[in-house]
Amino acid sequence: MGFWVECILFALLSLALQYVGGCDFFRGKWVPESDPSSYPVYNSATCPFIEREFNCEKNGRPDRNYLTYTWQPHDCNLARFDGEDLLRRLRGKKIMFVGDSLSRNQWQSLTCLLSTSVPNANYTIDRVDDVSTFTFMDSGVKVMLDRNVYLVDVVRENIGRVLKLDSIQSGKLWKGIDMLIFNTWHWWNRRGAAQPWDYIQVGNKTYKDMDRMAAFRMALTTWGGWVDSNIDPSKTMVFFQGISPSHYNGTDWNEPTAKTCQGQHQPLLGSTYPGGLPPAVAVLKAALSKIKKPITLLDITNLSLLRKDGHPSIYGLGGRTGMDCSHWCLPGVPDTWNQILYNIILNNKAMHS
Ligand SMILES: *[C@@H]1O[C@H](CO)[C@@H](O)[C@H](O)[C@H]1NC(C)=O
Ligand SMILES: *[C@@H]1O[C@H](CO)[C@@H](O)[C@H](O)[C@H]1NC(C)=O
Ligand SMILES: *[C@@H]1O[C@H](CO)[C@@H](O)[C@H](O)[C@H]1NC(C)=O
Ligand SMILES: *[C@@H]1O[C@H](CO)[C@@H](O)[C@H](O)[C@H]1NC(C)=O
């Protein structure tokens, strides 16, 4: 397909996605929370299962300003996240996040938001292979996480580990789920010891390596084919989490002396990010535009780009020796992703039945 045709499809798709309930939740700015006493809605004491990786406050992060911002869309107000209401709407249903550790970040945020909204909520957390399940016993809601960094398969064969861009066997785990929220991106640029495959296979051809953006595009096409042939939109809502940005280069936010996100204590105010969008966003949107079944993009890139202050930096898994400007502190930015997810559900007629 020609470049311009892709651009036009992309523009049409963006238009279609913009008007979720007449308002684009993803266009806006960060503003100080009007009622700081009610924020954040959870912490590591009220949500005791936050993993160390995201638990910035417990890991010693001293500043708290980053906890006091709320996302304000330009054209409407977001409803506050109401966990009790959401559990009622989702009674007996299964929600599954599928993706890498950014999915885990959002999954954990949602389980914290929901469990702290119900006093004395009874829940269980269990894990079978790559699937973690958080069950709210009283409403029968299951919030699940399938760790799957590429969505397409990595298979161990005689020659080594093969990343198969047109094979998606793990799709069998996603059947019968009421709401699916996919994500993949952060692992596509991994190289050396951090790269969990030795070859890439497309059709009958095997390669030692290839253009990573092209590989990402092919995998998304395979995944889109899975959605088109397996999803019944009357039963399952499908979301894509969107590209979650990292902050390792201060030039991108007009602070060239900053080599990482360490020491960033406040968001960019306003709505534009000087460094622009990561190129993966356009590839993702073009791939989504070719899928026939309805998919909602959680277009979280812009709002998250503005949050150079939201990452763990040295208050994450690696502590002082690590530098995490990819994941997000919890409580933090993924709570806003989930607040928007909640608002989309509120606007979706099918979910009211
Ligand atoms: C995100 O930012 C890009 C580049 O600045 C802009 O073109 C796009 O319209 C923005 N999208 C949203 C949803 O704000
Ligand atoms: C949790 O379970 C206990 C014991 O079954 C029950 O009394 C309590 O009401 C439950 N909590 C909620 C929030 O439903
Ligand atoms: C792949 O190889 C198999 C046999 O090895 C053959 O039957 C099939 O047609 C080939 N597919 C393509 C797309 O070349
Ligand atoms: C940061 O980004 C700027 C502009 O894209 C680039 O010139 C510079 O090399 C980057 N710095 C690092 C350390 O990657």
Side-chain angles (χ1 to χ4, degrees):
M1 189 176 335
F3 175 71
W4 288 109
V5 178
E6 278 197 20
C7 286
I8 291 165
L9 281 176
F10 173 21
L12 287 175
L13 174 87
S14 313
L15 275 178
L17 291 171
Q18 261 170 48
Y19 296 103
V20 191
C23 166
D24 184 348
F25 296 139
F26 303 104
R27 282 178 198 279
K29 60 180 182 196
W30 292 96
V31 296
E33 168 58 39
S34 56
D35 177 12
S37 67
S38 67
Y39 260 58
V41 298
Y42 64 88
N43 56 40
S44 58
T46 59
C47 183
F49 48 80
I50 305 177
E51 281 171 49
R52 188 167 144 228
E53 187 172 4
F54 310 130
N55 207 341
C56 299
E57 205 179 354
K58 195 152 183 211
N59 294 335
R61 181 167 178 170
D63 59 307
R64 296 183 52 83
N65 191 52
Y66 74 99
L67 297 168
T68 61
Y69 286 91
T70 179
W71 179 248
Q72 176 62 57
H74 291 315
D75 301 324
C76 57
N77 294 320
L78 288 171
R80 281 206 173 234
F81 186 92
D82 181 341
E84 261 185 292
D85 174 62
L86 186 55
L87 285 171
R88 217 167 21 242
R89 286 172 195 275
L90 297 176
R91 179 166 278 280
K93 290 192 162 45
K94 291 183 183 147
I95 305 177
M96 184 187 264
F97 291 89
V98 183
D100 56 30
S101 52
L102 275 312
S103 292
R104 188 149 46 83
N105 224 170
Q106 190 179 357
W107 171 74
Q108 191 139 82
S109 154
L110 185 58
T111 57
C112 283
L113 288 167
L114 288 173
S115 66
T116 51
S117 69
V118 184
N120 309 314
N122 296 303
Y123 60 79
T124 59
I125 309 174
D126 53 82
R127 178 167 179 165
V128 178
D129 299 328
D130 284 329
V131 179
S132 306
T133 303
F134 195 107
T135 306
F136 292 90
M137 315 272 275
D138 309 312
S139 52
V141 174
K142 288 185 190 292
V143 184
M144 309 168 81
L145 172 71
D146 176 17
R147 181 186 182 276
N148 184 325
V149 300
Y150 295 112
L151 303 183
V152 293
D153 300 328
V154 178
V155 180
R156 190 171 285 279
E157 294 189 342
N158 289 337
I159 52 167
R161 300 160 300 173
V162 184
L163 172 60
K164 303 197 169 196
L165 296 183
D166 46 17
S167 172
I168 192 156
Q169 292 301 317
S170 29
K172 60 182 181 294
L173 295 173
W174 315 331
K175 300 237 172 113
I177 305 289
D178 302 285
M179 188 186 296
L180 287 161
I181 304 149
F182 292 95
N183 145 57
T184 181
W185 167 239
H186 280 240
W187 284 63
W188 289 93
N189 275 322
R190 290 199 171 203
R191 286 162 211 276
Q195 174 188 307
W197 48 265
D198 305 302
Y199 294 92
I200 299 192
Q201 187 180 318
V202 189
N204 284 357
K205 290 222 166 68
T206 304
Y207 307 86
K208 189 68 193 146
D209 206 339
M210 63 161 52
D211 178 82
R212 299 303 181 85
M213 201 64 95
F216 174 59
R217 180 186 295 122
M218 285 185 224
L220 288 174
T221 303
T222 301
W223 166 76
W226 181 89
V227 169
D228 275 339
S229 30
N230 290 281
I231 292 295
D232 173 352
S234 71
K235 296 206 170 78
T236 306
M237 278 184 95
V238 181
F239 292 87
F240 200 96
Q241 185 191 38
I243 304 294
S244 172
S246 304
H247 290 91
Y248 288 102
N249 185 344
T251 304
D252 291 343
W253 62 88
N254 291 343
E255 194 185 331
T257 52
K259 300 281 176 266
T260 69
C261 62
Q262 189 178 356
Q264 295 297 324
H265 292 169
Q266 60 176 28
L268 285 165
L269 301 174
S271 302
T272 43
Y273 188 70
L277 287 170
V281 174
V283 173
L284 171 63
K285 289 189 177 179
L288 290 179
S289 73
K290 290 176 194 147
I291 300 173
K292 293 177 192 70
K293 298 277 168 74
I295 295 179
T296 304
L297 172 62
L298 290 176
D299 197 358
I300 50 130
T301 311
N302 291 36
L303 68 89
S304 308
L305 276 170
L306 301 169
R307 294 307 305 271
K308 58 188 171 58
D309 60 330
H311 301 287
S313 72
I314 55 169
Y315 305 107
L317 200 55
R320 299 230 151 238
T321 57
M323 179 54 66
D324 185 352
C325 300
S326 299
H327 298 103
W328 304 93
C329 295
L330 292 181
V333 173
D335 302 333
T336 296
W337 304 349
N338 283 318
Q339 185 190 8
I340 295 177
L341 177 67
Y342 172 62
N343 276 263
I344 293 172
I345 293 170
L346 287 185
N347 279 341
N348 185 289
K349 307 252 173 344
M351 298 296 294
H352 286 273
S353 54

